[in-house]
Amino acid sequence: MNLQNHKNLITEKGFTVIENIFSDEEINKIIHVLENIDTSKETFRKSQDLFAIRQFLKEIPEVKDLIFNENIKTIIKEIFGEKYFAVKSIYFDKPEKSNWYVAYHQDLTISVDKKVDLENFGPWTTKQNQFAVQPPLDILENIYTIRIHLDDTDENNGALKVVPKSHAKGIYRPETINWNVETEEICNVEKGGIMIMKPLTLHGSNRTTNGKKRRVIHIEFSDRKLPEELNWSEKMN
């Protein structure tokens, strides 16, 4: 893997796609675990258009060894840095007939263990006993997201569409996107491939039109210690 090239792409455009990070056998093992979980827990969100598991690595610890294979460990070390750890994880299953689409947005919150009054931290939200807060910009700029694809994904089953270079423009309100200046790129990823992106990259996804599933594991990484008594709620080395 020529990772320097991918590192440059992330710095320049805000994202990159790396294929063949997981073998079919590795992906099938992960899917096997997912097909045998108790889906009634309250951290699981289930609807016709989406099944999601928040705090995924905490809820389904048996996938950890399957996800952090040698390729992923190398990518974390060489592209992100020696001291990076996982801080947030979500599993998304977008079913074959899903009408669920996501408008352009940046990922602006982090998951933390409690609510504390801190300068430059806010607004706050709480979902399913999970505190989330928008931290100062430098913390967001420091995060990397890996999206592991368990299915072939293209524009017909909800591949991410992104605005290249938008990660370098601070907080970028989607309603202010100037399409005379900006471009849109669709990130097709094959089963077993990954997409890496900076959370400030504007991204969204369309409805599914080809009757194919889209299952993605989303994991965010940071190397920052949070101020005072605040902790990452899902910190995992």
Side-chain angles (χ1 to χ4, degrees):
M1 295 191 289
N2 175 14
L3 294 183
Q4 188 56 48
N5 178 35
H6 289 291
K7 190 171 182 170
N8 296 344
L9 279 169
I10 298 166
T11 303
E12 182 203 337
K13 292 172 75 176
F15 63 94
T16 191
V17 171
I18 316 179
E19 301 289 8
N20 302 314
I21 294 302
F22 295 86
S23 66
D24 278 354
E25 189 190 354
E26 287 174 308
I27 292 292
N28 291 338
K29 280 183 181 164
I30 292 171
I31 290 171
H32 179 73
V33 170
L34 289 166
E35 284 174 345
N36 290 285
I37 54 180
D38 167 14
T39 59
S40 63
K41 291 186 180 174
E42 60 167 31
T43 40
F44 298 2
R45 171 182 160 190
K46 206 165 188 172
S47 73
Q48 216 175 341
D49 289 324
L50 175 69
F51 173 61
I53 304 175
R54 292 177 188 284
Q55 304 197 24
F56 177 64
L57 294 173
K58 256 189 195 173
E59 290 287 355
I60 320 290
E62 57 270 39
V63 296
K64 265 185 282 191
D65 291 344
L66 301 173
I67 287 171
F68 292 99
N69 67 5
E70 287 311 312
N71 286 341
I72 288 288
K73 286 185 199 163
T74 303
I75 284 164
I76 293 167
K77 201 168 80 184
E78 294 190 14
I79 295 184
F80 306 171
E82 291 278 357
K83 297 191 170 79
Y84 270 75
F85 45 85
V87 294
K88 188 184 204 171
S89 57
I90 312 173
Y91 167 66
F92 293 107
D93 175 348
K94 192 173 186 175
E96 294 84 343
K97 294 188 166 60
S98 178
N99 272 322
W100 183 60
Y101 74 97
V102 180
Y104 267 112
H105 66 286
Q106 296 173 302
D107 292 339
L108 294 176
T109 64
I110 58 172
S111 297
V112 292
D113 62 339
K114 61 175 97 61
K115 188 173 177 179
V116 187
D117 263 343
L118 283 173
E119 207 180 339
N120 300 322
F121 279 75
W124 289 80
T125 56
T126 313
K127 267 185 205 162
Q128 298 163 329
N129 302 324
Q130 169 64 75
F131 297 100
V133 64
Q134 184 170 324
L137 197 60
D138 64 302
I139 291 177
L140 292 172
E141 287 173 340
N142 177 259
I143 292 171
Y144 289 91
T145 301
I146 294 182
R147 291 171 60 91
I148 300 164
H149 287 252
L150 308 183
D151 302 288
D152 289 336
T153 307
D154 62 23
E155 68 274 14
N156 302 310
N157 66 332
L160 279 198
K161 45 186 191 176
V162 295
V163 179
K165 302 185 178 178
S166 52
H167 69 300
K169 300 183 179 181
I171 305 294
Y172 193 147
R173 297 291 168 206
E175 61 275 15
T176 67
I177 297 173
N178 178 356
W179 291 112
N180 297 321
V181 182
E182 305 290 13
T183 55
E184 175 176 284
E185 202 169 312
I186 306 281
C187 295
N188 295 349
V189 186
E190 290 172 13
K191 173 181 174 177
I194 67 169
M195 176 189 176
I196 301 175
M197 67 175 217
K198 301 296 284 177
L200 291 174
T201 306
L202 279 162
H203 59 286
S205 67
N206 293 336
R207 294 180 171 88
T208 298
T209 56
N210 64 358
K212 291 187 176 163
K213 271 174 109 58
R214 187 207 79 176
R215 291 167 294 184
V216 170
I217 295 167
H218 168 119
I219 308 176
E220 296 175 20
F221 298 84
S222 173
D223 62 354
R224 291 289 175 87
K225 193 177 179 330
L226 296 173
E228 296 182 39
E229 65 276 44
L230 202 59
N231 299 297
W232 301 99
S233 67
E234 294 179 61
K235 180 173 178 179
M236 189 172 292
N237 293 322

